[in-house]
Amino acid sequence: MGLYERLRTDHGPVAPVLLEGDVPAWLVLGYHEVLDVTRNPRRFSRDGRNWGEWLAGRVSASSPIAPVLLWGPDCTHEDGEVHERLRAALNESLDRFDRRGLRRHVQRQAHALIDRFAADGRAEVLAQYAQQLPMLALTTVLGLPEEERLRLVEASRQLLIGTEKAVTSDRYIQSTLRELVARKHADPGHDLASWLVAHPAELSDEEVVHHLRLVLIAGNETTTNLIVNTLRVVLTHPRFRGSLHGGRMTLPAAVEQVLWDEPPISVCPGGFATHDLELGGQHIAKGDVLLLGLAAANVDPAVRPSPGAPMYGNRSHLAFTSGPHECPGQDIGRAITVTGIEVLLARLPDIRLTVEADELTWSASTWSRHLDALPVEFTPRPPAPPAPAASRAAPGPASGAASGAGAEPAPGAAAGPAPRAASGTAAARRGGGAREAEAGRPAPRHTAGPRWRRALDRLLRRGRGAAQAERERSA
């Protein structure tokens, strides 16, 4: 953050920078300038085939930054009608997930991971928990076999770090996903791969592969960072943790504060200028690449009085960017993060760091920075008891009978709300009333409920009794 502020001081809201290989780019540091780039696709194309450095032959397909910036057949690298078609297919497929079912799945996976170290009294929760939980959830969401998880975690990290392994890691990810798509043609299931394959937009297999790659890479890295960043704040700031335990701040609100202060992705691609233009006092030439400084924009003095100022209830941060390319899976990432932290703090309520906060170290790349480790200790505890069989179903569609009772309709879904199945208790009550009626006895009156409702029931019964007495006197 110190570097971003020096750039802002020296250059204003848009600064000239160099990427790996001394490739020139513009880093957008200003909050309003980021919105300008993200909300004007006609001025800033996401299609890497408009990149001047690429067209001039100064960037090759083997460059460490190529997998992130070059064109690919997915909605993040397309414009106009093609982008709308692909984005609609991805949004509608993601919306099919039962969010409650997903949270139950994350809870089971979280308990299983904690069981591996709960009896030890100490753990390194980045490697043993935060790096594993998102991929366990995402492999289920995508329809991947769990045995691919560890290699995919490492491959996605190498790609985003931008090391010399980025290109080979990207090839491995795409190869794995192509095999998955081929399997889903023959044996579809309740997963993102199957729904993209069958979507009416008729995505090609290559388009399906690239959208699965997008969700896998972005979802894993961002959710891992969000989990560990939130845990770090909870463990190193007593007031923050006290607010959570005292009920003054909910965990979702705490996550939003972390998204302001420490977004999981610091920098992301913003597009390529479609013509010469001015932005933030800088002359941007046609074909120049712009990078969105999300972490810097979130602390822009134009929108925050100070970098650490509380932003309670304010979700206008840029952690997931904005505009037509805003992150489509952010609600899934939030659900995994909140659920994972809730389970960890409930299972290990006295969890604490084994080092001082200033002893924690970080690694950084062009796109993000992340903790190297988060060592903790706690009172050793036994494994959690097994969950009831009824709660072990994998997350399925969010609509229709397959979603199960109480399925939560996904926001923005095109279809209408799914009919809610009656709860087991309500169904039992109706069944009991029916049996009483069949036996010639009146069904029992259930008076359970809020105090005001019971009082109102008593007043109504008195009113009906008084009316009946009046009718009898009149007769």
Side-chain angles (χ1 to χ4, degrees), residues 38 46 73-95 192 196 199 201 203 207 211 214-215 320-331 411-412:
T38 58
R46 295 299 294 266
D74 61 59
C75 59
T76 62
H77 295 94
E78 293 280 13
D79 303 314
E81 292 182 0
V82 177
H83 166 261
E84 291 173 6
R85 177 179 71 89
L86 296 175
R87 179 64 183 244
L90 181 59
N91 284 352
E92 290 164 14
S93 297
L94 287 172
D95 283 345
L192 183 60
L196 286 174
H199 195 274
L203 276 65
E207 288 173 335
H211 283 90
L214 170 67
V215 173
F320 299 111
T321 76
S322 184
H325 291 279
E326 185 173 359
C327 175
Q330 56 185 278
D331 288 338

Side-chain angles (χ1 to χ4, degrees), residues 18-25 51 53 58-71 77 159-164 166-167 213 269 272 289 291 366-367:
L18 295 174
L19 299 174
E20 288 87 349
D22 288 342
V23 177
W51 189 9
E53 295 295 309
R58 290 189 287 270
V59 174
S60 70
S62 61
S63 168
I65 57 175
V68 177
L69 290 175
L70 289 185
W71 176 83
H77 295 94
L159 194 154
L160 278 178
I161 290 172
T163 66
E164 65 279 358
V167 174
R213 168 185 176 270
F272 309 90
V289 61
L291 309 178
T366 298
W367 314 112

